[in-house]
Amino acid sequence: MDIVFRGARVVDGTGAPEYRADVGVRDGRIAAVGVLDGAEARQRIDARGQVVTPGFIDAHSHSDLTLLSDP
């Protein structure tokens, strides 16, 4: 892994309750969610007390194109 976020409060966007887990990132993508104690990682970040939301896509835009195409 490039980065492992350790002990985060994970909110996955499915509507399920949050849970504690490690989140591993490799090549800019989520590679694993769960207990990653044995995973090799270049960097480990203590995320206890922090919320990690893997898998969300930010579709927010400041484009006004919608106003022009659908008044």
Side-chain angles (χ1 to χ4, degrees), residues 33-59:
V33 178
V35 178
L36 303 178
D37 291 340
E40 291 187 27
R42 289 187 208 158
Q43 182 179 12
R44 293 185 179 274
I45 297 175
D46 182 359
R48 288 178 294 182
Q50 304 298 312
V51 175
V52 176
T53 55
F56 278 65
I57 297 171
D58 184 2

Side-chain angles (χ1 to χ4, degrees), residues 10-33:
V10 176
V11 178
D12 63 13
T14 65
E18 69 177 51
Y19 57 95
R20 290 224 184 270
D22 303 332
V23 178
V25 178
R26 182 184 307 121
D27 296 327
R29 294 179 174 256
I30 297 163
V33 178

